[in-house]
């Protein structure tokens, strides 16, 4: 999630990034066009943040602990053994670990350079932006525990779907020479080379790990706060201005067409799972079908800008298109499965 190596001036600039600016822009537009709705929007967002605060606190502490202990080193174990085992392990760690796709770009680049199976890497890429401990907590608070659990299972399944699909098609032109000539190892997190030591679970015994815990907690608190503020401000506007019957009529019947539409709308929305959860909760309250909600969140999570950049930075466009295609198809399948079960 967050970059613990970012210099202090860069961290200060995070307070003025696009999410904060977007929230302020919505409020300014409201002040100009409908001043009477400005204060209700602010109070709605503030109350929603207070309701979510326990989940935010848990998420921040959990991710900070995992970063401070060096638990990211366990990811290396996902890429050992036979290809099928690698795919399963990569999907599991991608869907359960707190490390986003862009955060492990240097590691993934090194693996691909020495010949790690693209199927295992694809499994990790697809699963990692869809769920982590912080996102699970936020999704539970915004929607429900059942939805968060289902999304976690779907994230792992989607990773395996793409991983085994890549393995089966590895001999086709799409996956021949998949790497760019000079793949970039930068990313939205600005992370240095990871995975160089064993985890230290009693991290508080080392001063530098305590510093990592504090900086990671602060970074992720700001990250969650900015995206949830934007989500709740937009949700307040939706509640007031968007008629519930419109949502119900377009995304409410629960058929295959509704689920496909949810994925097609979610993919270009570029919303990460933190911002999407409150918005999807409101859409569901207004009549959005459960399956469409699931496909929307899965497709949008895989195509959100940080996750997409992580893949685009390393592979050729045809592999990137395959990544998005697996995401779209897997999102629809998961959406239909959740619609049937819910």
């Amino acid at each position: 999630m967050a970059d613990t190596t970012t210099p202090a001036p860069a961290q200060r600039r995070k307070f003025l990034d696009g999410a904060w600016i977007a929230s302020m822009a919505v409020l300014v537009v409201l002040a100009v066009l409908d001043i009477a709705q400005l204060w209700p929007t602010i109070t709605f967002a503030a109350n929603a943040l207070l309701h979510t605060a326990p989940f935010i606190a848990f998420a921040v502490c959990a991710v900070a602990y995992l970063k401070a202990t060096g638990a990211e080193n366990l990811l290396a174990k996902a890429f050992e053994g036979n290809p099928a085992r690698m795919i399963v392990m990569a999907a599991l760690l991608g869907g359960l670990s707190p490390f986003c796709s862009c955060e492990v770009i240097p590691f993934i680049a090194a693996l691909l350079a020495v010949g790690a199976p693209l199927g295992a890497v694809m499994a990790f890429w697809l699963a990692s932006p869809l769920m982590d401990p912080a996102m699970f907590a936020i999704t539970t608070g915004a929607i429900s525990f059942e939805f968060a659990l289902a999304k976690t299972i779907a994230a792992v399944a989607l990773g395996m779907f793409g991983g085994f699909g890549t393995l089966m098609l590895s001999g086709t032109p799409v996956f021949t020479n998949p790497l760019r000539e000079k793949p970039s190892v930068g990313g939205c997190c600005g992370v240095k080379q990871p995975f160089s030591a064993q985890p230290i679970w009693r991290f508080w015994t080392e001063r530098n790990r305590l510093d990592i815990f504090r900086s990671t907690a602060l970074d992720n608190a700001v990250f969650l706060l900015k995206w949830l503020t934007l989500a709740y401000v937009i949700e307040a506007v939706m509640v007031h201005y968007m008629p519930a019957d419109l949502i119900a009529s377009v995304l409410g019947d629960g058929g295959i067409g509704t689920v496909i539409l949810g994925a097609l709308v979610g993919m270009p929305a570029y919303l990460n799972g933190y911002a999407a959860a409150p918005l999807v909760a409101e859409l569901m309250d207004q009549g959005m079908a459960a399956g469409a909600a699931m496909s929307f969140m899965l497709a949008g999570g895989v195509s959100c800008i940080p996750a997409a950049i992580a893949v685009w930075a390393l592979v050729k466009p045809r592999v990137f298109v395959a990544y998005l295609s697996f995401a779209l198809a897997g999102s629809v399948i998961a959406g239909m499965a959740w619609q049937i079960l819910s």
Side-chain angles (χ1 to χ4, degrees):
M1 283 179 57
D3 169 23
T4 60
T5 64
T6 305
Q11 287 189 1
R12 287 194 292 270
R13 286 196 296 270
K14 289 183 181 181
F15 287 91
L16 297 175
D17 70 6
W20 292 121
I21 292 172
S23 297
M24 291 302 300
V26 173
L27 295 177
V28 168
V29 171
L30 274 177
V32 173
L33 300 181
D34 189 359
I35 187 66
Q37 190 56 29
L38 178 61
W39 183 245
T41 299
I42 293 173
T43 56
F44 180 98
N47 289 331
L49 283 170
L50 286 174
H51 171 76
T52 315
F55 300 97
I56 295 175
F58 170 80
V60 167
C61 292
V63 173
Y65 174 78
L66 291 171
K67 290 288 285 185
T69 59
E72 61 213 45
N73 298 294
L74 297 176
L75 284 176
K77 298 184 182 298
F79 299 91
E80 300 173 353
N82 63 62
R85 177 189 176 278
M86 288 188 208
I87 290 170
V88 174
M89 288 298 297
L92 284 169
L93 285 176
L96 301 177
S97 72
F99 313 111
C100 69
S101 299
C102 61
E103 217 173 4
V104 294
I105 282 179
F107 178 58
I108 295 296
L111 284 171
L112 289 171
V114 298
L118 184 60
V121 175
M122 183 70 76
F124 181 85
W125 268 336
L126 286 167
S128 63
L130 295 178
M131 188 54 70
D132 58 44
M135 200 178 297
F136 188 94
I138 297 300
T139 305
T140 298
I143 303 177
S144 70
F145 173 79
E146 292 77 13
F147 190 96
L149 181 61
K151 186 168 181 264
T152 303
I153 296 170
V156 175
L158 181 55
M160 288 192 283
F161 171 70
F164 283 110
T166 300
L167 180 64
M168 291 174 60
L169 299 172
S170 58
T172 66
V174 174
F175 297 108
T176 302
N177 297 320
L179 296 182
R180 291 180 179 271
E181 294 295 328
K182 296 180 179 180
S184 167
V185 295
C188 67
C189 298
V191 180
K192 307 298 182 185
Q193 184 69 36
F195 319 119
S196 57
Q198 292 298 314
I200 306 287
W201 301 113
R202 296 167 61 89
F203 73 89
W204 52 87
T205 61
E206 298 184 13
R207 175 68 179 272
N208 66 319
R209 291 179 181 270
L210 278 172
D211 292 339
I212 289 173
F213 180 89
R214 283 192 291 266
S215 62
T216 301
L218 176 61
D219 243 8
N220 282 284
V222 172
F223 176 86
L224 292 174
L225 183 63
K226 71 183 181 183
W227 282 109
L228 289 174
T229 297
L230 176 60
Y232 288 133
V233 167
I234 295 175
E235 181 183 351
V237 173
M238 287 171 51
V239 169
H240 185 72
Y241 294 106
M242 186 175 292
D245 56 352
L246 175 63
I247 302 298
S249 64
V250 175
L251 295 171
D253 67 14
I256 181 65
T258 299
V259 175
I260 292 173
L261 182 59
L264 291 175
V265 172
M267 184 160 278
Y270 300 119
L271 285 174
N272 64 49
Y274 307 99
L279 300 181
V280 168
E282 178 56 35
L283 289 170
M284 291 177 72
D285 287 342
Q286 297 195 49
M288 185 182 199
M294 182 64 73
S295 66
F296 177 94
M297 290 196 73
L298 292 174
V302 171
S303 67
C304 72
I305 291 174
I309 287 175
V311 182
W312 179 263
L314 296 180
V315 298
K316 293 179 179 177
R318 64 178 184 271
V319 180
F320 181 73
V321 171
Y323 164 82
L324 294 180
S325 299
F326 283 130
L328 185 62
S331 298
V332 172
I333 294 170
M336 283 305 303
W338 181 239
Q339 183 65 42
I340 293 169
L341 294 173
S342 62

